[in-house]
Amino acid sequence: MVGNIQPLLELVNLWRFLGYGMLLLAFLDLIDIFVPPSFMNPTWEFQTMGRLVNQVGIPLIGLLFVFSGKLAKRARWESGILALLSRLSLLVALLYLLLIPLGVVNTIRLYNTNLEQIKTGYEQRLSQANQVEEQLNKTSPTDIDNLIKRQGGSLNGRSPEDVKNQILSQLNQTKQQLKTQKETNQSSVTFNLLKNSVRWNIGALISAVLFILIWKETRWARKKSA
């Protein structure tokens, strides 16, 4: 029986070393995520939330490996670390829960900002098209004829009025395309924003639950250090 247990304990020790290594890697990722910080910037906060949720698997698996085997064949220095990791699990769970209202607020802020940017860009391009249309309406057929000739062009048998109407028609098409593009951009940006928001907020909730479960199931580590 002892001979059968020994290889298993050696495998558990390997898991624990892997777990500590994964937690160190997760800590390095955490530094990379928060440096440099840009708090109060909704874009940075929203993207940071996404990275925290997307990379949560590494510390979760690391904790699973570290706590495997409970107290069997533990080094003396591990007692305090296990208790600390157990308590940190609850703290991290609370932080993930706090990400949820922050994510909702930033979703609303980014939604309004994106719509405003799209609207501003659309209005600028529409204003330029309207200015060209206004100038063209004030241009006489003679002016159009002279302008084309100065540029080395030819009316090719068409009247200046026909050329003017053709340009006006193209401008109307351009304005309609700008409107369509604006609506398409609004739909695309809104969809992507809401998709990420739902995914990351649900991910934050699931992560919090998992960390709470780890904290709950590792009370033995806290009792040992008490």
Side-chain angles (χ1 to χ4, degrees):
M1 180 66 69
V2 176
N4 293 332
I5 294 177
Q6 188 64 28
L8 181 59
L9 290 176
E10 292 177 356
L11 182 59
V12 169
N13 283 334
L14 177 60
W15 288 348
R16 291 169 180 171
F17 284 122
L18 288 175
Y20 287 122
M22 294 181 72
L23 291 179
L24 288 174
L25 290 174
F27 179 72
L28 294 177
D29 286 339
L30 196 63
I31 294 176
D32 180 62
I33 290 174
F34 282 98
V35 177
S38 184
F39 296 107
M40 306 307 295
N41 181 334
T43 300
W44 180 86
E45 290 181 352
F46 192 69
Q47 292 176 347
T48 297
M49 176 185 181
R51 294 180 65 183
L52 290 173
V53 171
N54 290 337
Q55 299 181 25
V56 73
I58 296 178
L60 284 173
I61 296 175
L63 288 172
L64 175 64
F65 285 172
V66 167
F67 287 119
S68 61
K70 292 191 175 181
L71 296 174
K73 290 194 67 175
R74 291 285 184 179
R76 291 184 178 180
W77 56 268
E78 288 188 273
S79 177
I81 292 179
L82 292 176
L84 176 62
L85 290 176
S86 178
R87 294 184 175 94
L88 281 178
S89 297
L90 179 60
L91 176 61
V92 173
L94 295 176
L95 292 177
Y96 270 97
L97 287 176
L98 290 176
L99 285 178
I100 297 175
L102 181 64
V104 172
V105 170
N106 282 328
T107 298
I108 297 174
R109 293 172 65 187
L110 288 174
Y111 173 78
N112 293 330
T113 299
N114 290 336
L115 290 189
E116 186 62 30
Q117 290 176 346
I118 293 173
K119 178 182 177 182
T120 300
Y122 165 74
E123 291 178 347
Q124 289 176 347
R125 290 189 290 270
L126 181 63
S127 176
Q128 293 172 353
N130 287 333
Q131 289 176 4
V132 173
E133 182 179 24
E134 184 179 352
Q135 292 175 356
L136 189 60
N137 285 327
K138 296 178 180 179
T139 303
S140 66
T142 302
D143 293 333
I144 293 176
D145 188 18
N146 293 334
L147 177 62
I148 293 177
K149 289 179 179 180
R150 283 199 301 270
Q151 294 178 348
S154 172
L155 292 176
N156 294 324
R158 296 178 300 173
S159 67
E161 191 66 30
D162 289 339
V163 174
K164 178 179 179 179
N165 290 334
Q166 181 182 2
I167 297 175
L168 288 173
S169 177
Q170 292 175 346
L171 281 173
N172 287 330
Q173 292 179 2
T174 299
K175 289 193 289 185
Q176 184 60 41
Q177 290 174 354
L178 288 174
K179 183 178 179 182
T180 302
Q181 184 180 15
K182 170 197 167 189
E183 294 172 350
T184 301
N185 289 341
Q186 286 179 341
S187 299
S188 177
V189 168
T190 300
F191 174 77
N192 289 329
L193 177 63
L194 292 179
K195 180 185 70 173
N196 288 331
S197 179
V198 170
R199 179 163 62 96
W200 291 340
N201 279 289
I202 292 178
L205 178 60
I206 294 174
S207 300
V209 171
L210 292 176
F211 277 109
I212 289 175
L213 288 175
I214 291 175
W215 170 78
K216 181 180 178 181
E217 296 299 325
T218 56
R219 61 170 60 92
W220 52 266
R222 301 191 297 275
K223 289 180 180 179
K224 179 65 178 178
S225 66

